[in-house]
Amino acid sequence: MRVLGIDPGLERLGWGVIDKTGSKLTPVAFGVLQTPRVELPSRLRLIEESLQELMGAHQPDCVATERLLFSVNKTTAMDVAKALGVVLLVTARTHLPWREYSPPEVKRAVVGNGAADKKQVQFMVTKLLGLEKPPRPDDVADALAIAICHSMQLPAVVSG
């Protein structure tokens, strides 16, 4: 099963693709989509085009995102929500199953503690995926953590 994890954002959108075979997790690709400081509709179009390209290249079986929580900065939260809307639109167009997880759910699944800090999440993502170094920036580590969290909800199907 191939999982695409997404940490939504307008300026930076982290993404990570992992494969789950049995109980083994394998990193496929990961990175960050960065949008230039242009008008909002253009930024959203760039996110849409990049995600379509990404999904076409990696052919995920499902998509998982982080559930947005209201932040102190409501303007930033609204912009992130708009970017998430684009993610959901692209996901719907590809007919992929989608699931979202709150930050504490992701931390609990990856670290075992829903109140874990960013360094603990990065450490466990690195360890669980057998990476040489922690993925950077934080958006990428978060996206991989979301993919790991979702993969743990999936049955351990062995491909043959």
Side-chain angles (χ1 to χ4, degrees), residues 64-67 99-103 105-106 146 149-150 153:
T65 60
E66 186 171 70
R67 180 176 297 135
R99 181 91 191 270
E100 69 177 349
Y101 298 92
S102 69
E105 287 176 305
V106 173
I146 293 160
C149 175
H150 186 62
Q153 310 304 313

Side-chain angles (χ1 to χ4, degrees), residues 97-120:
W98 164 79
R99 181 91 191 270
E100 69 177 349
Y101 298 92
S102 69
E105 287 176 305
V106 173
K107 293 173 183 179
R108 195 173 312 108
V110 175
V111 178
N113 175 359
D117 64 29
K118 290 250 183 223
K119 287 188 185 269
Q120 291 171 306

Side-chain angles (χ1 to χ4, degrees), residues 10 71-82:
L10 181 62
S71 68
V72 174
N73 186 338
K74 302 289 189 230
T75 303
T76 300
M78 291 300 294
D79 286 345
V80 172
K82 291 169 187 170

Side-chain angles (χ1 to χ4, degrees), residues 43-108:
R43 291 177 103 171
L44 296 175
R45 189 193 79 247
L46 287 170
I47 290 171
E48 177 193 21
E49 291 170 352
S50 297
L51 281 175
Q52 286 176 340
E53 217 172 275
L54 183 70
M55 288 184 181
H58 297 292
Q59 299 292 307
D61 297 306
C62 54
V63 176
T65 60
E66 186 171 70
R67 180 176 297 135
L68 301 182
L69 301 177
F70 288 103
S71 68
V72 174
N73 186 338
K74 302 289 189 230
T75 303
T76 300
M78 291 300 294
D79 286 345
V80 172
K82 291 169 187 170
L84 177 59
V86 172
V87 171
L88 298 179
L89 174 65
V90 173
T91 300
R93 282 186 179 157
T94 56
H95 306 286
L96 291 174
W98 164 79
R99 181 91 191 270
E100 69 177 349
Y101 298 92
S102 69
E105 287 176 305
V106 173
K107 293 173 183 179
R108 195 173 312 108

